[in-house]
Amino acid sequence: MKLSLILTAILVLTITSAGNAQTELLFNGVELQESLQSAKDKMKPFTDKMELFEVENPTFPLSKDLEAHLVCSNYKSNYGTISELVFTFADDKLVYIQAHGNAVEAITAIIKDTVQNYMDYRFYPKDHIVTKPSEDKVWVLTEEAMHPNLFTWDNPYLPSNKEQKENNNTSGRIPDFIKFGGNLDQLKPNLERASDFTFTMELDGSDPNAQLQIDCFGIEYAGFPRKFEARFGDGKLNVLWILTGKGEEDRIRQKLISEYGPVIFKDDNWEVFNNWQVILRKDKPEVLVLSEELAVFYKRDYFKQ
């Protein structure tokens, strides 16, 4: 199976009762979507130390109003003791778990799902589990958390991540190193420098305007490290997708208004800024950025304006 098809299958996985059951088995009854208090009560007897971090101004993409991180040390799971474990709650629902230290061995002990590989990551889509064996890290994610690729995000509240860099780019301005019309040889080094890591792939031909995409992970934008998908047509950058979360939609909107002025077109799924070059997508949380030429094309042919 082609990598692009594997990734599509991974990123559109749905939450099933079987997946939740696996999480319940792994974490002493704790399930995805569970409330903070309920999960805390279930976990407390099995950890040497528990700390709660509540964020006053949320930046986590899945959080609209509330963001909380529950950190456990030496957590006794049903399949071994995990050194570090963080449970992230968005608006009082468990949506993200990251584990480190005896994590891969303990958490994959009962997995029967077929593994799918992407770079250094191993995916078990039916169980909502992603592992990175080279760093002994594991993520358990909701479908919503998979979309912005949160398996590539190291939660800064995990004790071993204390030295993680702070995000300094909190605005909605598209970074200056994104130069539309620039060629691949010029822009690829800039994208790599701004990213934690990148992955380049040829597209399947379904997009007539682009043949190659560079996936850029960890680029700071609007208060959080993001995945940027930079697309090149005929060797020149003409499309950029920035992956976001539904919970932060209004925060992103306000940042775009602050940077680019009021919305110039709006419907159920899109809000357009900056002469049709910057577009907030709402049905699938993303920011779309276009070259001047493609902005004219989208306005006329897609939006019929």
Side-chain angles (χ1 to χ4, degrees), residues 136-294:
D136 193 15
K137 291 180 178 177
V138 177
W139 292 260
V140 184
L141 305 163
T142 63
E143 178 188 3
E144 189 182 12
M146 287 294 292
H147 169 65
N149 286 222
L150 290 179
F151 57 87
T152 65
W153 178 60
D154 270 328
N155 190 310
Y157 293 95
L158 200 71
S160 59
N161 291 340
K162 288 293 186 181
E163 300 303 318
Q164 190 177 34
K165 66 180 180 181
E166 293 185 6
N167 182 24
N168 296 314
N169 182 10
T170 60
S171 80
R173 180 180 178 83
I174 306 306
D176 291 337
F177 62 82
I178 303 294
K179 305 290 186 183
F180 285 95
N183 67 47
L184 179 64
D185 291 339
Q186 293 171 330
L187 294 184
K188 189 173 182 181
N190 295 336
L191 293 169
E192 290 175 341
R193 278 192 293 269
S195 307
D196 291 336
F197 57 94
T198 66
F199 182 82
T200 302
M201 62 180 176
E202 294 184 4
L203 298 174
D204 60 9
S206 59
D207 183 349
N209 299 305
Q211 301 85 41
L212 183 139
Q213 177 171 304
I214 302 178
D215 289 341
C216 306
F217 297 88
I219 295 181
E220 298 179 358
Y221 176 77
F224 198 83
R226 311 280 179 181
K227 181 188 180 188
F228 279 38
E229 298 175 352
R231 292 195 160 198
F232 291 78
D234 299 325
K236 295 183 179 181
L237 179 66
N238 57 16
V239 174
L240 176 72
W241 290 98
I242 304 173
L243 275 58
T244 61
K246 190 63 177 177
E248 63 181 343
E249 180 181 294
D250 191 57
R251 294 197 298 272
I252 298 289
R253 177 184 293 107
Q254 296 307 317
K255 290 177 184 295
L256 291 175
I257 290 172
S258 177
E259 194 64 46
Y260 297 110
V263 174
I264 60 176
F265 173 84
K266 179 178 180 180
D267 64 15
D268 290 343
N269 295 326
W270 306 90
E271 294 182 21
V272 179
F273 302 82
N274 196 36
N275 199 27
W276 297 85
Q277 284 189 261
V278 179
I279 306 174
L280 175 67
R281 184 176 182 179
K282 297 178 287 187
D283 61 328
K284 185 178 180 182
E286 296 169 337
V287 174
L288 171 61
V289 192
L290 301 167
S291 66
E292 289 185 16
E293 294 79 9
L294 277 188

Side-chain angles (χ1 to χ4, degrees), residues 23-39:
T23 308
E24 191 174 5
L25 286 171
L26 290 168
F27 300 113
N28 301 298
V30 176
E31 300 180 68
L32 293 173
Q33 305 294 339
E34 192 155 350
S35 71
L36 171 59
Q37 188 60 55
S38 176

Side-chain angles (χ1 to χ4, degrees), residues 13-16 18-20 22 113-114 123-129:
L13 68 91
T14 56
I15 297 175
T16 65
N20 279 335
Q22 291 287 59
D113 192 6
T114 301
F123 288 83
Y124 304 88
K126 291 181 182 178
D127 296 323
H128 323 309
I129 291 173

